[in-house]
Amino acid sequence: MQLKTPANALRLGLMAATCALLSPPTTHAADAPEDDGPWQVDAGLLYYKENEGRVRTIEPVVNVRRNLGDDHIVGFNFAFDSLSGGSPNGAIAAKSKIQTFATPSGSSLTPGSGPQTYVSPSGNTYTTLAKVTLYTIQPGALPLDPNFHDRRISFDANWSQPVSTNVKGTVGGHISDELDFDSLAVNGALSRDFNAKNSTVSFGMNAELDKIKAIGGTPVGGSDYAQLLKTGSKSKHVIGGLLGLTQVISREWVAQLNYSYDRSQGYLTDPYKILSIVDSTGNLMAVSSSTAASPYRFENRPGTRTRQSLYVGNKVALGLQTLDVSYRRGKDDWSVKSDTVDVRLRVPISNDWYIEPHVRWYRQTAAEFYHLYLDQVDAIPQFMSADPRLAGFTATTIGFKVGVDLGGNNELSLRLEQYQQKASERFSSLLNLQGLDLNPSLKSAIVQIGWKMEY
Amino acid sequence: MLNARTALMIFLVASLGTLQGCSTLGVKPWQRDLLARKDMALDANPLDAAIDDHLYFSKEAASGGKGFGGGGCGCN
Amino acid sequence: MGDAGAASGGSGITPQVVRRDDLTVAISFSAMASPCEVLLETQDLALAHELAGLAVDEALRIERKFSRYRDDSVISTINASHGKPIAVDAETSSLLSFAAHCHVLSEGRFDVTSGVLRRVWHFDGSDRLPSAAAVAALLPLIGFDKVDWQPPNICLPAGMEIDFGGIGKEYAVDRVLGLITARFDGAVLVNFGGDLAAQRAPASGEWRVGIERPGQHRSAALLLGLSQGALATSGDTHRFLLRAGIRYSHILDVRTGWPVPGAPASVTVAAGTCVEAGMLATFAMLRGAEAEAFLETQGARHWALRL
């Protein structure tokens, strides 16, 4: 181990500076542009797997970046994402009944051998007999849609350059394509340095336009699951702003404070999520005793969402170790409040190797329209969702990353983490739901291999 | 409680504090040796950050904060 | 003394080219307010004349470009910018970046904006110290950290000044040596006012360099052998103030505006290039009483003279 700064570090620095000054020894007749930097390539392969046969994903990601000279920096990010496995559809487990659900497997608008599509009087709603794959869920089991699969290709590009003394401008764009979702986004930011670059204030804007083209048609929010009221594609957009301050506190400590605000508008409902309706005993509502065609409803979320967050990040040098601590407070007008604490400590264990333990703790409150299930005796609410992601829960991530410097700015790393969600509302006092875990914990493993290189 | 106005106020007060207190906060150029370390950059691992943003965006109701992170996905 | 002649560069200054008894040719001229000398081990006088022209042109080019005393120099343009950003050429840019590095490496002790202190400090051997108030009044105009240097743009706050006095001569030595060795593969030594660099040893084995005895011109207190590399000296035994028995050296601490206490009268440092040697010598002087210990730590051969 030779991690100590050499005693003559100053001289080594001086030799390097002298070298830069005196080479090349030719005349400085013409002003050559500042040399390009190398391409910095950051490649990663993520494997993510949830417990109980739930979602599994493999995602290769490549991030390349280059300083083209004079701090004109161009960057690209490419990711391919392949998802499969079972995803909770929002319905709850039933104590003694086998539940049957349908996964749409083709567009309802695809011409088939017979009439598959009927236009309702409203003119833009279809009652479809879409091609579906049925799946059954055994009593006591959480309904997971086993046919869930998707793939996603996303591409980001960004450019940053100085625009005047102390001011830097950044513009970027994002485009991604999924089987059932397209997204296009642009962003721009300006940042300015103050106090001999000890403070940086930045302001950024982001606009995103998404198209939801759910397989089998996009359901009408809140409609009966069996009636399959679907429309064509839907859209949503997001406009956001971010105000940031980066401050060097001391020789060992740099901090960042961000306030962000964004507003989404459009179809914010998850097209595949439903809710169960139960009677006073906890059994699924009997269809014969009501006007409903099924004891399930498609979820329905409000058409707008306003989110804010305050983020404080810190990097602290503790000798040769590096501590990264951040806290985020989030709030939205769906009454989801969240707190996130993230701590990483990078510990060099030899000249080339380092290990970085990581702990993350997250807590959110439930959205005001979140329900584990709907009660038959109550009126069907306008907005409702049983999506576990809108439930109140705490989540913890524990893991570590190890990396080795291969020389020549090449680094290989491995990250192993475990993520676990524990919902705050999981049980019901209704007779036939007693003893059933209605929102079981999610547990997943994250394995990531990373390779940084330059050429 | 965090509403837009109080958050903005906290932010502005913090900003003004640092901008005026420049004589006490911050370092001289020659004291940037530690801050210049690659692992001391606030975005030292952009790839990990992007993967985390994407992952947590698809599993949790809150996202972003550090930047415009995690959007552009039908997964939530 | 052997043959003597004159070579002329494009600059109008005519260097003396003299063949000496020790098989070398000595080129001498005056530039940057210093006697300049280039020693070549060659019998080819025509080549020596050509190289002499090259050396003079380069020395004068650097002097013209970077002298703070010339209105048309880049430095004067920057100093007259009154806080407006100015884009500089690549050579000025590399010198400014070097100065910025040195500022950082010396933890702020070496500072190319310190020249304004000359307005109150006159090291003429007298006892006329400036008032503390006069010195303090200048401090807001000093500090490279106040300069916004984002290559190739420099923004120098109004009232501040930059000068390359602490770098220019050594830089010229290394540049001239580089130009000559690109065309000449014999032994060369370039010496501008006591800061020198050599490439290849002469047939006699080593270049013999005398370090002047303080206050005594051309009287060697020490004789060094040098085959390759550079020597530079910081310190000037003529420039000081003396009051109440205390000697105030002309080495100023930019952080206080007052002379660094306990600095040696002069220190000579050996290093790979003249710029490096000069900077090490300057850094050492700025450490005052710890000058020698500093050079020891940095592993630099040195010869310090204390009075």
Side-chain angles (χ1 to χ4, degrees), chain B residues 22-58:
Chain B
C22 53
S23 52
T24 52
L25 273 185
V27 297
K28 298 287 181 194
W30 60 88
Q31 296 172 319
R32 287 191 174 267
D33 52 341
L34 297 176
L35 297 168
R37 273 180 6 202
K38 269 187 189 172
D39 50 284
M40 278 295 285
L42 284 162
D43 61 343
N45 280 305
L47 193 82
D48 291 9
I51 284 176
D52 281 359
D53 272 341
H54 181 49
L55 211 62
Y56 295 126
F57 177 82
S58 71

Side-chain angles (χ1 to χ4, degrees), chain A residues 190-258:
Chain A
L190 282 174
S191 65
R192 191 185 196 288
D193 295 329
F194 294 92
N195 302 342
K197 296 192 199 303
N198 280 309
S199 309
T200 304
V201 174
S202 54
F203 172 70
M205 293 283 288
N206 175 53
E208 177 184 325
L209 183 63
D210 301 326
K211 187 175 170 190
I212 300 108
K213 33 171 203 176
I215 292 160
T218 309
V220 174
S223 63
D224 191 299
Y225 182 55
Q227 284 177 355
L228 296 172
L229 289 177
K230 306 250 179 152
T231 64
S233 61
K234 292 293 225 173
S235 68
K236 72 167 197 269
H237 64 259
V238 187
I239 301 281
L242 190 142
L243 211 50
L245 169 71
T246 304
Q247 176 66 45
V248 173
I249 312 272
S250 71
R251 185 165 159 259
E252 301 85 11
W253 183 12
V254 57
Q256 184 182 23
L257 175 67
N258 283 347

Side-chain angles (χ1 to χ4, degrees), chain A residues 17-38:
Chain A
T18 309
C19 243
L21 174 65
L22 297 174
S23 61
T26 51
T27 54
H28 283 284
D31 284 4
E34 193 184 310
D35 276 353
D36 298 5

Side-chain angles (χ1 to χ4, degrees), chain A residues 50 81 152 178 197-198 251 258 308 315 322 328 331 360 364 389 397 401 415 419 421 448 452, chain B residues 2 4 22 27 32-33 37 39 41 45 48 52 54 56 58-61 64-66 72 74-75:
Chain A
E50 295 178 354
D81 199 345
R152 174 173 182 260
E178 290 167 62
K197 296 192 199 303
N198 280 309
R251 185 165 159 259
N258 283 347
Q308 298 171 70
K315 278 272 189 178
T322 310
R328 179 185 63 176
K331 190 197 172 201
R360 178 182 184 271
Q364 72 176 44
R389 293 171 299 188
T397 308
K401 179 178 173 181
R415 179 154 76 127
Y419 176 70
Q421 276 184 7
Q448 184 191 326
K452 282 185 186 181
Chain B
L2 179 73
C22 53
V27 297
R32 287 191 174 267
D33 52 341
R37 273 180 6 202
D39 50 284
N45 280 305
D48 291 9
D52 281 359
H54 181 49
Y56 295 126
S58 71
K59 297 291 158 199
E60 298 171 352
K66 192 171 183 177
C75 49

